[in-house]
Amino acid sequence: MKWREQITDLAVYEPGRTIEAVKKQFGLDSIVKMASNENPFGYSPKVDERLASIHRSYTLYPDGYATSLREEAANFLGVDEKQLIFTNGTDELIQIISRALLEPGKNTVMAVPTFSQYRHNAVIEGAEIREVPLRDGKHDLDGMLAQIDENTAVVWVCSPNNPTGTYTSEKEITAFLDQVPEEVLVVLDEAYGDYVVAADYYDALELYRKYSNLIVTRTFSKIYGLASFRVGYGIANEAIIRGLEPVRPPFNTNVLGQMVAAEALRDQEFVRKCRKKNRRGLQQFYDFCNRAGLGYYPSQANFILIHFHCDADRVCQFLMKKGFIVRSGRPLGFPESIRVTVGSEEQNKGVIHAMETFLETTAKINR
Ligand SMILES: *Cc1c(COP(=O)(O)O)cnc(C)c1O
């Protein structure tokens, strides 16, 4: 087969072990998954009501333009319907952007470590990748600016950043956008935007109006709790959306996903409650880290990266045996840190207790 050369040793995304597999291996009755930043509180009860009331046939193709979700979202966001693109999760939007703009001879600028899919898709398209190390867990926007040249097609900014949870302030992002050439597309990934409480966070909807080269990406997978339905979207001026649309598969979002996403948008009270509970959960982890003398990045997302200063895989193994699946920082660029999704108060207590046990056990071994 005549595979593209660049994909032959590209790693397949590792989704982490399934709950069932871990239960079986360690003979556990219950497992708490705190590895993929899903919402521990599920989704709006309105979504279940809506799902229970459907009388439709699944034989016909879905509405490829997602008209009803589009109307709902445009209205909610206060944007024009033509300024939106709906995709099979933000993952697919990242793929569409890459496919539309990247190719050999062009380059793309991103932070490192950041969300893995920017790099992954750039590799597939054969573009040159320019990675700029984080500083104190944050995007080095000046360093990224310095990497932009006449062949740069796309710049990725993840805020809050996965896996560090750090965010970019309004002052920082506007100073950056003021200097990016207008023919370079800036992607602002706000997968965790609804979790942010920092007073100096920007309003992405104001930014995209001011900067015609900006696309803001969002998802229903995180705070809305609908990861399995695979719905994400982008907000940008009409010219950018028009540029991307030919690359979008015609029926990329499905009938149920469109329906539950629209329903979930209507329940902002649920979103507010989750944001609030998430802050309390983060505080549990901060208190633990301070007690235990472990470093961490202050987070504006629903996860926290904790520095254990020992092999992260070992910490994960230990926690898994105790019934908690967390994400090793190793494949994320932090070999001695773990990324934990903030759970319910009980779940947080549980995983923190297991971490304390880990620290006690290793302290004994090292003694
Ligand atoms: C989870 C995540 C996404 C992908 O979300 P989907 O909509 O489920 O594809 C995108 N960006 C970041 C930074 C994420 O953490």
Side-chain angles (χ1 to χ4, degrees):
M1 293 300 125
K2 298 167 186 169
W3 303 112
R4 288 190 191 182
E5 197 185 319
Q6 63 268 30
I7 69 163
T8 50
D9 34 51
L10 194 57
V12 175
Y13 178 78
E14 257 204 59
R17 313 271 306 280
T18 67
I19 289 181
E20 283 317 310
V22 175
K23 264 190 195 168
K24 210 168 157 192
Q25 185 184 351
F26 299 108
L28 296 160
D29 296 331
S30 77
I31 288 275
V32 183
K33 185 168 173 254
M34 306 171 94
S36 301
N37 307 337
E38 293 117 331
N39 190 337
F41 309 109
Y43 47 80
S44 164
K46 295 201 164 65
V47 167
D48 268 337
E49 283 167 31
R50 185 79 174 85
L51 281 171
S53 73
I54 51 176
H55 312 280
R56 85 166 75 215
S57 154
Y58 298 114
T59 308
L60 303 183
Y61 280 104
D63 170 6
Y65 196 59
T67 309
S68 160
L69 170 58
R70 183 178 298 272
E71 285 168 5
E72 188 75 33
N75 185 34
F76 169 68
L77 299 165
V79 308
D80 193 286
E81 287 173 23
K82 295 197 182 85
Q83 297 173 325
L84 294 170
I85 181 170
F86 291 91
T87 54
N88 200 262
T90 305
D91 282 349
E92 191 193 40
L93 183 50
I94 295 167
Q95 181 185 6
I96 290 172
I97 291 168
S98 304
R99 199 166 173 199
L101 288 138
L102 300 181
E103 60 190 324
K106 289 194 183 151
N107 70 65
T108 181
V109 177
M110 63 191 72
V112 66
T114 189
F115 188 53
S116 60
Q117 292 303 300
Y118 316 144
R119 175 177 224 286
H120 187 90
N121 282 283
V123 169
I124 293 172
E125 301 307 333
E128 181 201 336
I129 297 158
R130 300 188 172 179
E131 296 181 308
V132 178
L134 299 174
R135 289 168 75 170
D136 298 327
K138 287 186 60 170
H139 279 55
D140 172 10
L141 293 177
D142 289 333
M144 289 173 70
L145 266 179
Q147 289 299 317
I148 297 174
D149 65 15
E150 69 278 9
N151 295 319
T152 304
V154 184
V155 180
W156 307 86
V157 178
C158 187
S159 171
N161 186 47
N162 184 356
T164 51
T166 51
Y167 72 107
T168 301
S169 72
E170 174 168 25
K171 212 171 131 193
E172 292 162 338
I173 196 78
T174 47
F176 173 74
L177 291 168
D178 281 339
Q179 295 175 76
V180 176
E182 57 190 0
E183 68 279 9
V184 174
L185 182 70
V186 177
V187 183
L188 188 53
D189 185 340
E190 279 205 308
Y192 304 98
D194 279 312
Y195 281 109
V196 177
V197 297
D200 59 350
Y201 193 60
Y202 47 79
D203 177 352
L205 295 177
E206 274 173 25
L207 294 179
Y208 100 94
R209 289 197 178 90
K210 184 164 173 210
Y211 301 97
S212 62
N213 58 336
L214 182 71
I215 182 164
V216 178
T217 72
R218 293 183 176 173
T219 179
F220 286 94
S221 300
K222 305 289 159 62
I223 206 164
Y224 286 97
L226 299 170
S228 78
F229 286 100
R230 312 301 305 126
V231 186
Y233 63 99
I235 313 161
N237 75 63
E238 206 181 319
I240 291 178
I241 300 296
R242 237 187 291 122
L244 296 174
E245 274 290 336
V247 182
R248 182 179 66 80
F251 303 108
N252 61 330
T253 57
N254 66 77
V255 65
L256 291 177
Q258 292 175 15
M259 191 180 82
V260 296
E263 195 63 45
L265 267 187
R266 284 179 212 127
D267 193 354
Q268 289 301 312
E269 188 49 32
F270 175 79
V271 173
R272 266 190 294 276
K273 277 188 197 149
C274 292
R275 177 163 50 235
K276 231 171 145 179
K277 285 191 262 195
N278 181 64
R279 288 320 296 181
R280 290 203 288 266
L282 276 170
Q283 192 59 48
Q284 290 176 270
F285 286 99
Y286 292 167
D287 292 345
F288 156 67
C289 290
N290 295 336
R291 269 198 317 272
L294 298 178
Y296 61 90
Y297 292 118
S299 175
Q300 289 290 323
N302 68 335
F303 56 84
I304 180 169
L305 192 70
I306 302 177
H307 311 310
F308 272 79
H309 307 291
C310 66
D311 178 11
D313 289 353
R314 235 181 81 221
V315 186
C316 290
Q317 271 296 317
F318 185 93
L319 297 179
M320 204 182 280
K321 283 183 208 158
K322 301 277 178 203
F324 298 93
I325 309 179
V326 303
R327 197 92 159 91
S328 170
R330 186 166 287 285
L332 308 177
F334 289 94
E336 300 197 332
S337 310
I338 60 164
R339 194 193 67 192
V340 191
T341 303
V342 176
S344 67
E345 189 182 351
E346 277 311 299
Q347 293 172 337
N348 299 337
K349 265 191 198 157
V351 78
I352 286 169
H353 180 70
M355 288 180 197
E356 284 169 339
T357 313
F358 172 81
L359 292 173
E360 283 160 21
T361 318
T362 37
K364 268 185 206 136
I365 293 165
N366 292 341
R367 207 180 287 149

